[in-house]
Amino acid sequence: MSRLDNLYKHSPTWMQNAMVSTFGVYWHWARFGGDWQKQKRGYQERELFSAEKWAEYQNENLKELLEICFTQVPYFRDTWSNYPQLEVKNGYLKGIPLLGKDPIRANPNLFRRQDMNPLPKLVFHTSGTTGTPIVSTFTLSELRNSMALREVRSANWAGVSFKDSRATFSGRMVEPNPQQFDSIYRYNAVEKQVYFSAFHLKPQTASQYVNALRKHKIIWMTGYAVSFYLLAKYILDQNLKVPYLKAVITTSEKLTEDMRLVMQKAFQCRVYEEYSTVESALFASECEHGRLHVSPDVGIVEILRSDGSPCDPGEIGEVVTTCLMRNYQPLVRFRLGDLAAWDPELCPCGRQMPVIKEVVGRVEDVVTGPDGRQLVRFHGIFVNQPHVVEGQIVQESLTNFTVKVIPTNAFSEEDILDIQNRMHQRLGQDVEVQVELVSEIPRTSAGKFQAVISKVKSF
């Protein structure tokens, strides 16, 4: 824990809000300053591209990207050494091997361009649904590019903007004390943003979340699908009155139709799904007709069979993407670990952007705390754990957890204590946490890795 994190942890709530808002000044500049407006205009203009124009755009950008990879990125330069340089320069993806997450996790520096040294470097840790944290490094321009994308293709499509007041469910530990329920959010006054704690959500606290929406005049909400679904259930169960909202945009987890219906009934507004990655390797968002469009200027998305051939529309396969919007730490034919299917039907909205019919397997099991809280995104305890190759959390009962770990050679008793402390921080001291060292963690029948398995019935 850094000194700043330690100071935040031991500060009173009013000071934590002040710290969040102070950081918000820098964070607002980092995300919405500089060339953000120019990037935003670019996404608005390209939205009107024809299918032919999109193909031309992707081909041109792919050739440029592959040339950068071949000449400036150590991992690709070495891996592609047996491929004819002309083939790479011409932008042929088919013969390039698929990229898993292990090489990036093992040495993210090998994926960074050697001809660039951007300052500052913005580092994000993500484990997605694989349970294996990897490091993504953005330049300032790339971060602003990603936020311009979300403004145009997600927020604006839902009739809102990041300039509007919003509430967010994410993995931030906004309230460090798992036993403290008096204040379940923090407020960034600079962006009029409420950070909800996903770790303090339970029936007894639901009214606090609703009161925060009313107090800060929140217009829209975005973040973890399961957290918003649970809050919606509690609101309906308790007949709580929710103030006016324009939209809810869910991220990070699969939004099922049952979840959508419950949320729309509770929040009295439309619910939109966003399918994306922290690495900005892929971006898909719902238009006004509820269809999930892939943004071709973000990446070239392939849905493949097990033999590497492309799936037919409607056929479920593995999602592989080549990121076009970031080139400091390029990702080429990157395996997301997700399964999806293309929609064979054109969208009546008229946008010539591919449509995903279904994303498979992004709903995570919910962990239920001894006090009834239902928590999501628990695999975050493995972030910044350099001695953990893979990790899986198994909830055996309300108070009994097994954490399975594939360790590196440097794994020690200190790592065990760190994992246990992180679990206790989220669930309290009453739970028992057994750390089990294993040589492998089994996959599901569909080949998916489950970062969280709960044997306790949740919802």
Side-chain angles (χ1 to χ4, degrees), residues 7-65:
L7 175 62
Y8 179 89
K9 179 179 180 180
H10 293 94
S11 297
T13 301
W14 69 266
M15 185 176 291
Q16 290 177 350
N17 281 316
M19 293 174 71
V20 168
S21 295
T22 300
F23 180 74
V25 174
Y26 163 77
W27 199 228
H28 182 77
W29 167 81
R31 295 191 293 178
F32 301 106
D35 59 353
W36 181 80
Q37 286 286 355
K38 178 181 178 181
Q39 303 279 20
K40 176 184 173 183
R41 288 193 295 272
Y43 283 111
Q44 290 171 331
E45 293 167 359
R46 290 190 295 273
E47 199 169 299
L48 302 176
F49 275 8
S50 64
E52 293 77 16
K53 189 69 174 176
W54 274 126
E56 179 183 337
Y57 178 92
Q58 286 193 327
N59 288 336
E60 290 178 357
N61 282 269
L62 179 61
K63 290 178 182 179
E64 180 180 340
L65 177 71

Side-chain angles (χ1 to χ4, degrees), residues 32 80 92 121 205 223 258 262 267 270 300 327 335 409:
F32 301 106
W80 296 350
Y92 298 134
K121 296 181 180 70
T205 62
D258 287 342
V262 170
F267 300 127
R270 278 194 64 172
I300 299 174
N327 61 28
R335 306 176 77 168
N409 292 333

